[in-house]
Amino acid sequence: MNSESHHAASRPSRPISPETAAGSVPLAHKKLRPRHVTMITLGGIIGASLFVGSGNVIRTVGPAAVLSYLIGGLLVFLAMRMLGEMAAARPAIGSFMEYARVGLGDWAAYLVGWLYWYFWVGVLAYEAVLGGETLHGWFPALPSWVGSLLLLAIFVGTNLISVRTFGEVEFWLASVKVLAIVVFLGAGVLFAFGLWPNATYSIPNLWEHGGFAPNGFGVAFTGVALVIFSYFGTEIAVMASAESEDPAKGIRQATSTVIWRILLFFVGAVLVITTIVPWDELPEPVDVASAPFTYVFELFGLPGAAIVMQLVIFTAVISVLNSGLYSASRMFSSLAEQGFAPRFVAKKAKNGVPVAALLASTIGGVVATIVNFAAPDSGVFAFIMNSAGLVALFVYVFIALTQMRMRQKMTPEEVAGLKLKMWLHPWLNLLLIAAIVAVLIIMLTTEEGRTQVWTSLIATGVLVVCWPFVRRVRAKRARAQASAALEA
């Protein structure tokens, strides 16, 4: 660490502002409008993990799954509030990576930046595979792998055109998801109270089938480990806000409204499902047709529920694909600008889009996708997906530590001037870190959880081993730049 500090001290310091922060683009290119940021904020975290994955949580935990989603949502809310404090003061694309660099040092930025990028490459592959298989189901003549690559190509195109195009596409995709949830909640409440045609009062389903926590309240805490990854992606709204017409306002909106979004979309939806359907009668969600949302929609008597939900879930898949390409490219570009990745990756087009970073991120997703179809039994694709499993928890820990450190560096006047402030500092930071450690311990109690933990640690270990080499390259580049400056 001492040698790192020495190298850092030898580099010329750069003032950080909303216009010059790492990864940021000229103000002329910040073209996301308030409605784009609002809808990205609303729909960014709604994915297939909610529409389909919630069924597995409910079947494991029972009605107490509501508590699992509530506790997981609280942890995410705390992390977002911490990120919001830093982002409102220093809007920067790359967000927490840049703040980790300022607060904890280059090593932290390098580690969290690469882990986050690696996570999204895995997500790109997963969503592309899922989308390709869905297209194959609709159009049997279209091979799944062709559908996957076609979807990747389409959304690379939308991201290449401009950040405004990305925002416009995401606006409409997120609108579909939000509308589906709103309809589901409205009809579900009427159904649960017996106010829907052919419905009966079903609130007692919350406690009549073995109790509210039929498998014990301890399982509800275990469920937090299952749901925490459903929330990952919330930080995209902060990254997008940094490229909006009013970054500070967008960031405050994204971080301040996250709690009611979690309560409404996640906790509310799970509460409706467990109220309408006895938890032990919910079918195992092996596909879209048996997903809990589809099952409940069919109970409403709505025609074509399976087809409608398949379209909604496909929309959620391509929405995550779209936003994943955006997130991965911005983070990769930020890594390059800080010297943690090849310099050419940082190059941006005239419209402000980091083209090289976008294409490089896509290549990673394409390779993982091809591996899945060409060698499904090789275990490579499974390793990529499992090893990205802990990234969400790592990122939240880095956010908590970074916000603590950056607050320590502030003067009392700077703290008083914060437009968005974390409460009960630093106690809630410590609570978040302790809760994440608890989730990690809980994961070690299951075979699937242990697989995610160990594969994630292997991926992290590779980055740690590579850090000394990256640090030497950065130091050499800094010395060359300093010599060039003196000669000039």
Side-chain angles (χ1 to χ4, degrees), residues 97-446:
M97 190 204 79
E98 172 62 14
Y99 309 133
R101 186 186 69 81
V102 175
L104 300 176
D106 291 338
W107 67 272
Y110 159 82
L111 195 59
V112 75
W114 273 110
L115 284 173
Y116 188 75
W117 179 82
Y118 180 64
F119 168 83
W120 278 112
V121 168
V123 169
L124 290 176
Y126 175 77
E127 301 296 338
V129 168
L130 190 58
E133 291 176 346
T134 303
L135 287 176
H136 176 68
W138 292 340
F139 310 103
L142 181 70
S144 297
W145 67 271
V146 173
S148 298
L149 297 182
L150 180 63
L151 289 175
L152 280 170
I154 290 173
F155 289 101
V156 166
T158 61
N159 276 265
L160 279 175
I161 295 172
S162 69
V163 67
R164 173 73 64 85
T165 306
F166 154 76
E168 195 66 30
V169 171
E170 192 59 26
F171 173 84
W172 292 108
L173 293 177
S175 297
V176 172
K177 295 188 291 183
V178 171
L179 179 61
I181 292 288
V182 170
V183 170
F184 180 82
L185 292 175
V189 169
L190 293 176
F191 193 97
F193 282 95
L195 302 177
W196 190 265
N198 302 318
T200 58
Y201 183 74
S202 60
I203 302 297
N205 281 333
L206 289 174
W207 58 81
E208 284 189 344
H209 294 264
F212 181 69
N215 298 317
F217 280 95
V219 180
F221 290 96
T222 304
V224 175
L226 301 175
V227 307
I228 191 70
F229 303 111
S230 300
Y231 294 117
F232 201 52
T234 311
E235 70 293 331
I236 293 175
V238 176
M239 298 174 72
S241 296
E243 288 194 86
S244 67
E245 295 171 347
D246 189 349
K249 179 182 178 181
I251 289 168
R252 287 197 299 272
Q253 179 190 49
T255 55
S256 299
T257 61
V258 66
I259 186 63
W260 72 259
R261 286 182 282 130
I262 288 172
L263 289 174
L264 181 64
F265 295 139
F266 284 83
V267 179
V270 172
L271 180 60
V272 165
I273 293 171
T274 53
T275 301
I276 292 176
V277 185
W279 71 274
D280 53 353
E281 296 179 13
L282 193 68
E284 184 176 356
V286 295
D287 54 25
V288 174
S290 60
F293 278 74
T294 306
Y295 186 74
V296 173
F297 262 114
E298 290 177 335
L299 293 179
F300 293 160
L302 298 176
I307 296 176
V308 171
M309 281 311 303
Q310 196 168 22
L311 289 171
V312 171
I313 294 174
F314 180 71
T315 299
V317 167
I318 60 178
S319 172
V320 173
L321 196 61
N322 186 44
S323 57
L325 285 166
Y326 172 84
S327 301
S329 62
R330 267 52 180 185
M331 185 59 74
F332 205 7
S333 177
S334 295
L335 283 165
E337 289 187 350
Q338 290 299 325
F340 301 131
R343 187 179 301 178
F344 75 91
V345 177
K347 187 176 181 180
K348 293 183 175 65
K350 291 182 179 180
N351 61 2
V353 175
V355 177
L358 177 61
L359 295 178
S361 300
T362 306
I363 291 172
V366 168
V367 170
T369 302
I370 292 175
V371 166
N372 175 69
F373 287 113
D377 298 325
S378 66
V380 175
F381 186 77
F383 177 83
I384 293 173
M385 296 309 303
N386 282 321
S387 60
L390 286 184
V391 169
L393 300 182
F394 289 160
V395 168
Y396 293 151
V397 168
F398 272 108
I399 289 175
L401 293 174
T402 301
Q403 191 269 335
M404 289 173 63
R405 182 57 180 152
M406 291 185 70
R407 178 74 76 85
Q408 290 173 356
K409 292 181 177 182
M410 292 182 178
T411 64
E413 293 75 17
E414 289 175 329
V415 173
L418 288 172
K419 297 180 180 179
L420 194 67
K421 188 181 296 185
M422 182 62 196
W423 316 284
L424 298 177
H425 177 84
W427 301 110
L428 288 181
N429 299 65
L430 298 175
L431 175 64
L432 176 62
I433 294 171
I436 289 173
V437 171
V439 171
L440 179 62
I441 293 173
I442 290 172
M443 290 181 68
L444 289 172
T445 62
T446 66

